[in-house]
Amino acid sequence: MVKIGMMIGDRYEILEKIGTGGMSDVYKAKCHKLNRYVAVKVLKQEFSENENFVSKFRIEAQAAASLMHPNIVNVYDVGAENDIYYIVMELVEGITLKKYIERKARLSYKEAVSIAIQVSMGIGAAHNNHIIHRDIKPQNIIISREGKVKVTDFGIAKAATSNTITSNVMGSVHYTSPEQARGGYSDEKSDIYSLGITLFEMLTGRVPFNGETTVAIAIKHIQEEMVSPKEFVPEIPGSVEAIVLKCCQKSPDRRYQNMSEVIADLKQSLISPDEDFVVTRDMDEEASTRTISEAEMSQIKRKAQRQDAYEEQMRLNTQYTRPPMDEEEYDGDEEYYEEDEYDAGDSKMEKITVVLAVMAGVVICAVVLMVVGKMLGVMNTDDIGSKIDPNTEESSSEMLPSDTVPDSGTSDVLVVKMVNVLGWNVEDAKKEIVRIGLVPEVTAVESEEYEENTVISTDIAAGEEVEVNSTVVVKVSAGIQAEEVPPVTGMTYEEAYNKITGLGLTVSRLDSYSATVEKGRVIAQNPAGGEPAAPGSAVILNVSLGLETGKVAMPNMIGWDQIQAEEWIHEHGMAKQSIGEEYSDTVPEGKVCYQNFSENAMLDPGTPIVFSVSLGKDPSATVTYKYNDIIAAPTASEAPDYTSGGDVHVTLVTDSGKVLMDVTTSTFPQSANFYGITSAGGTVTLTYTAIVNGVAESKSVERRVVFAQE
C-alpha cells in the first residue's frame, strides 16, 4: 500500500497522488539521489498479484526505457519493493489531451494537426525501435505547460494485451483498431488507426463510434463505415478529412503504412489544406484483371525476343566450349546432350558449393566431437578460447560498458564515468553517451565559434561519476545566428515579398478567401514575425482572395442576444436549425454561448445555424479545493518555550468544521495532501507541552491556511 510521505527504493519520496488509471495509480515523487521531481506509476493490487503480468510488465517497461524522444514521456527506472511494482517516469506538468478537448469542446484543424504531428513523431520513434503502443488515445497524450506534446504508457499496453486483460481495464475501446477488436495480430498500423480516431475527436469533440457496451462499440469498429468528420464540422479542410479517413480504414493495407507517411501528409495539410494530395489505395482495383494494352504487348514481345536471342547465343557458346565426349558416353540421345549443356555454365558455382559444404561439415563434426568429449570427460574445454579467471565473480561476465562500476554506497546501483565528448558531432556524442548508460538531452544554442551540430559543453564534467540512466544535458552549436523573419501580416503581397527576399529568405504563396482581409494582402505568415529562420528557408504567406462570391462570413455571436442572432440568420439567408440552452461559467444568462460555426467561416446561403443561449452558472456545481503543503514544527517566534523533538499534537480543521488531520508526532515536517475540500480555508493547531517554573503546561500555536481551488 503506497502512502503519502513513504520512501520507495530508498530514493523516491511519495509527495502526492496526481492521477489514476485502469491498471495503476500515479504519484508525484522526489528523487533524493538526483534531487529532481519524478512521476511514479504504481501497479494496482490485482495486477501485482499476477506474476505472469508483472514479468511482462517489467520487460516491456524496460524496453520503453530505451526510448528517447522529445515527444515521448521518458522512463527512468523500473523496480519492486514489498509487492509494490512501479515505474519511474519523467514528470510532465500539464493536462491530458482528453481534458484539453473537454475544455475547448473541439480544436481548430490547425491546432489538431499540429498536435497530431507531434504525437506521430513520438509514435514513429517507438516504431523505429520495434515498440508498438497498442493503446493510443487522448488519455495517454499529455500537453505540457510549454505546449509540448508527449505520448506516455509505452509498453504497458503490450504487457496487458499479452496477458488477456479485459477491455474495461485496458482503457477505452473507442480508439481500438478492428484487428485489435477481433483479438487478432496488431502492428504499427494499429497505432495509426488509433491516431486517426484521436484526430477525429480533436476535430469534432466526439468519437466516431459509440454504444452502450464495449462489445457494441468493438463491433462498430469492425463492421460500420467510418463517418466523415465534416458531417459534424463542415469547415474541416478536405485534406484533413482525407487523412482521418485513410488512417481509419478497416483494412490495415489501406491505411498509411508508416508514421513517416502520416507526418508528411499532416504537414502538407497545414500548407495546402484544400489540396487533394492524400493518396488512397484501392486494393480491389489493384488486384483486378486488367487488359494488356498494345504498347504493353509490344514491350513484352521485345523483351521475349531479346531473351530468346540471349539464350540462343549461350547455347552456341556452350556447344563450342564443351569438351569432347567419348563415344560410350554419347548414345545418340539428343535430349541428354541438351540438358547437360547447362551444367557446363554452372560448373564453377558447383565447385564452390561443394567446397563450402565440405568445410561446413568439418566444422559441425568438430563441434559435435567437442560436445561429446566434454560429456564423457575426455576433452578439457578450459583450454579452449579465453580462460575464465577463477577469482572473478560469476556476475562479472555480464556485458556492461567498460566505464560502468558498482556504486560504493549500494550493492545494486551502478555508476559510470562521463566521457569527454566536447567538439564531437552531436550524433556521435549521443551514441557514446547512450553506450555508457546515460541519457542525452540535446539543447541547441547559437554559436559563431563552433561549427553547426558540434558539442559545446555538457552539464556533467568528463570523468565525473554519475548513476546509470542519469540525464546529460548536451549543448550543441546551432551555427551562425539565423535571420529574424519580419512581420508582414496586413501588407500587400508585393511589399511582403520584397521585404522577405531582401533578407535572403524565399517566399511560398498560398491563396485563400477571407471575409476580413482585403484582397491581395497577407492574412498570415509562417514562421511568424520575429521568429528565426535559416538563410534560404521559405516563409509561407497566406494571401487574401477577398470575399468568396456568394459566401457569407460567420460572425462571432458569443455574447449576442437571442433576437440579434435570429435577425442575422434571417438577413443573410441562413436556416435556423435549432436553439439550445446550457449552463455557462463565462457567458451571462440570456446571451448566446455556443455557435456551430467558428468566426469567419465561409458559409453558403441556406446553411443550418445552431446556437445555444446561456442559463448562467450551474447552481448544482460545487467548488472544491485542495491543500498540498508541509506543516513545520513550532518556530522560535511562535513558541519560544517549545523543545525540538518533543511530541506535538497536530490538527487541521476546515472553516466548516471538518477535521482533515489529527495526529501526534515528533517528526517534522509533516506532509499534508487533501482533495475535494468544500471550504476555502482552515486552521492548523500545534499543541505541545512546555515546562514553566518546573510545571508542565499545555500550549498551542494556531496558523491560518488558505486552500487552492481545484
Side-chain angles (χ1 to χ4, degrees):
M1 179 76 178
V2 177
K3 295 181 179 180
I4 303 301
M6 74 180 295
M7 193 76 74
I8 295 181
D10 294 328
R11 62 184 295 184
Y12 304 112
E13 180 187 1
I14 303 299
L15 301 179
E16 60 176 298
K17 188 175 182 179
I18 57 177
T20 186
M23 295 185 298
S24 58
D25 296 317
V26 185
Y27 298 87
K28 180 179 179 181
K30 184 176 182 180
C31 175
H32 285 273
K33 286 197 175 181
L34 298 178
N35 194 28
R36 65 179 176 186
Y37 291 101
V38 295
V40 178
K41 178 164 288 191
V42 180
L43 272 182
K44 289 186 175 179
Q45 186 72 25
E46 57 266 35
F47 300 107
S48 299
E49 296 172 353
N50 186 331
E51 294 183 3
N52 188 29
F53 176 76
V54 168
S55 175
K56 294 281 187 181
F57 172 79
R58 297 186 67 175
I59 292 172
E60 296 305 326
Q62 289 167 357
S66 66
L67 295 176
M68 290 178 294
H69 193 272
N71 298 117
I72 293 176
V73 176
N74 293 319
V75 176
Y76 295 145
D77 192 9
V78 182
E81 181 180 294
N82 298 328
D83 293 330
I84 297 175
Y85 297 90
Y86 61 90
I87 299 177
V88 182
M89 303 181 299
E90 170 189 5
L91 179 64
V92 181
E93 298 286 352
I95 62 172
T96 65
L97 177 59
K98 186 70 173 181
K99 289 184 178 179
Y100 188 64
I101 296 171
E102 290 173 352
R103 286 185 181 180
K104 301 192 68 172
R106 62 180 175 85
L107 312 184
S108 67
Y109 87 87
K110 288 186 178 179
E111 187 175 20
V113 170
S114 298
I115 291 173
I117 290 173
Q118 294 190 60
V119 173
S120 300
M121 288 179 174
I123 300 173
H127 288 178
N128 292 338
N129 285 273
H130 311 292
I131 296 176
I132 305 167
H133 194 289
R134 290 177 170 83
D135 196 20
I136 294 295
K137 58 185 179 182
Q139 294 91 326
N140 284 337
I141 298 167
I142 301 176
I143 302 177
S144 70
R145 291 177 178 175
E146 296 77 25
K148 197 72 175 178
V149 180
K150 290 178 175 281
V151 185
T152 188
D153 273 1
F154 274 96
I156 296 176
K158 182 177 180 181
T161 52
S162 64
N163 284 271
T164 61
I165 301 298
T166 56
S167 60
N168 64 321
V169 172
M170 266 307 298
S172 177
V173 74
H174 294 92
Y175 310 92
T176 192
S177 65
E179 57 269 25
Q180 287 174 293
R182 294 189 188 96
Y185 172 78
S186 58
D187 58 6
E188 289 87 348
K189 291 185 279 295
S190 301
D191 284 349
I192 293 176
Y193 182 94
S194 300
L195 174 66
I197 301 293
T198 301
L199 180 55
F200 183 102
E201 185 174 0
M202 285 193 284
L203 294 166
T204 65
R206 53 171 292 164
V207 291
F209 301 114
N210 216 332
E212 296 182 357
T213 65
T214 56
V215 174
I217 299 171
I219 291 173
K220 289 183 179 181
H221 277 288
I222 298 171
Q223 297 180 350
E224 290 191 7
E225 287 299 318
M226 178 77 174
V227 63
S228 168
K230 286 177 72 72
E231 292 191 15
F232 302 100
V233 185
E235 60 259 40
I236 293 175
S239 62
V240 179
E241 174 198 27
I243 291 171
V244 173
L245 295 178
K246 184 173 181 179
C247 286
C248 298
Q249 289 290 313
K250 303 295 182 190
S251 170
D253 292 332
R254 298 192 182 193
R255 299 174 204 153
Y256 290 98
Q257 298 303 292
N258 53 64
M259 279 297 170
S260 298
E261 296 180 2
V262 179
I263 294 169
D265 277 4
L266 286 171
K267 289 182 176 179
Q268 183 65 26
S269 70
L270 290 177
I271 300 173
S272 307
D274 298 317
E275 185 178 330
D276 183 15
F277 57 81
V278 178
V279 178
T280 57
R281 300 182 64 190
D282 190 339
M283 304 301 294
D284 295 334
E285 182 178 339
E286 291 181 10
S288 61
T289 303
R290 295 191 296 117
T291 304
I292 300 177
S293 64
E294 293 183 3
E296 291 173 330
M297 180 59 74
S298 300
Q299 185 178 9
I300 293 172
K301 288 181 178 179
R302 287 195 299 272
K303 288 185 177 180
Q305 291 171 354
R306 287 197 296 269
Q307 182 67 22
D308 291 343
Y310 171 78
E311 291 179 355
E312 176 65 17
Q313 183 64 41
M314 289 298 296
R315 188 184 68 79
L316 293 174
N317 290 344
T318 306
Q319 283 182 342
Y320 289 112
T321 58
R322 176 180 174 86
M325 300 177 63
D326 295 335
E327 290 186 3
E328 289 106 14
E329 292 180 316
Y330 180 62
D331 59 356
D333 189 350
E334 192 67 27
E335 183 178 355
Y336 165 80
Y337 183 81
E338 289 182 357
E339 286 182 358
D340 199 40
E341 288 173 355
Y342 291 95
D343 295 336
D346 296 336
S347 59
K348 290 184 179 180
M349 183 57 68
E350 288 183 359
K351 291 178 180 179
I352 294 173
T353 303
V354 170
V355 172
L356 291 175
V358 171
M359 292 174 64
V362 171
V363 172
I364 292 171
C365 290
V367 172
V368 172
L369 290 173
M370 185 184 303
V371 173
V372 173
K374 180 67 176 179
M375 294 174 62
L376 298 177
V378 176
M379 298 178 64
N380 182 9
T381 56
D382 290 341
D383 296 330
I384 300 175
S386 59
K387 296 185 178 180
I388 300 175
D389 186 350
N391 297 321
T392 303
E393 294 182 5
E394 185 178 352
S395 61
S396 65
S397 62
E398 296 179 1
M399 297 300 292
L400 292 173
S402 58
D403 297 330
T404 306
V405 295
D407 187 353
S408 59
T410 59
S411 60
D412 57 349
V413 177
L414 297 178
V415 297
V416 294
K417 288 184 178 181
M418 178 60 188
V419 292
N420 186 2
V421 293
L422 301 185
W424 288 32
N425 177 273
V426 60
E427 294 302 325
D428 295 334
K430 285 165 60 179
K431 291 178 182 177
E432 180 64 15
I433 291 171
V434 171
R435 185 193 69 79
I436 66 172
L438 300 180
V439 180
E441 183 178 297
V442 177
T443 60
V445 294
E446 295 174 350
S447 173
E448 296 182 0
E449 181 180 356
Y450 293 89
E451 292 184 1
E452 188 175 359
N453 295 327
T454 301
V455 176
I456 299 174
S457 65
T458 58
D459 68 336
I460 300 176
E464 182 179 348
E465 291 186 356
V466 292
E467 186 178 343
V468 170
N469 290 330
S470 297
T471 299
V472 182
V473 178
V474 182
K475 285 189 178 181
V476 178
S477 170
I480 60 173
Q481 184 175 2
E483 290 290 345
E484 189 174 286
V485 179
V488 295
T489 302
M491 294 183 182
T492 65
Y493 175 73
E494 291 74 17
E495 293 172 341
Y497 179 88
N498 294 333
K499 194 164 186 176
I500 291 173
T501 55
L503 296 175
L505 303 172
T506 61
V507 173
S508 177
R509 175 169 176 162
L510 175 65
D511 294 324
S512 60
Y513 293 101
S514 174
T516 57
V517 180
E518 181 185 347
K519 182 179 180 181
R521 291 189 177 273
V522 177
I523 303 171
Q525 63 181 96
N526 187 17
E531 292 186 2
S537 61
V539 178
I540 302 171
L541 298 182
N542 189 356
V543 183
S544 173
L545 293 173
L547 188 64
E548 187 174 1
T549 305
K551 298 280 187 178
V552 178
M554 180 71 182
N556 182 10
M557 292 184 176
I558 306 301
W560 287 14
D561 293 326
Q562 179 177 338
I563 295 176
Q564 185 181 0
E566 291 178 341
E567 286 177 349
W568 183 89
I569 293 173
H570 177 72
E571 289 174 0
H572 292 82
M574 300 296 165
K576 184 178 69 174
Q577 184 175 4
S578 63
I579 302 174
E581 293 181 332
E582 57 185 75
Y583 292 109
S584 173
D585 293 334
T586 57
V587 179
E589 184 178 355
K591 302 295 184 181
V592 175
C593 61
Y594 167 78
Q595 62 188 54
N596 63 329
F597 291 101
S598 57
E599 185 180 6
N600 292 326
M602 306 308 297
L603 309 178
D604 292 314
T607 301
I609 304 296
V610 179
F611 66 90
S612 298
V613 177
S614 173
L615 293 173
K617 293 186 177 181
D618 187 353
S620 63
T622 302
V623 178
T624 58
Y625 301 86
K626 63 181 179 179
Y627 183 61
N628 305 117
D629 206 343
I630 58 173
I631 300 175
T635 63
S637 59
E638 290 177 324
D641 48 5
Y642 167 70
T643 303
S644 178
D647 286 344
V648 179
H649 184 213
V650 183
T651 61
L652 173 56
V653 183
T654 69
D655 291 341
S656 62
K658 183 176 181 180
V659 179
L660 299 179
M661 179 182 286
D662 186 0
V663 297
T664 299
T665 182
S666 60
T667 303
F668 288 95
Q670 284 285 312
S671 297
N673 294 278
F674 301 98
Y675 300 86
I677 308 170
T678 56
S679 299
T683 302
V684 174
T685 303
L686 306 171
T687 304
Y688 62 96
T689 301
I691 306 299
V692 180
N693 297 324
V695 179
E697 293 184 8
S698 179
K699 294 191 175 184
S700 297
V701 174
E702 290 188 352
R703 296 174 185 163
R704 177 67 183 169
V705 293
V706 177
F707 305 140
Q709 186 173 335
E710 287 185 318

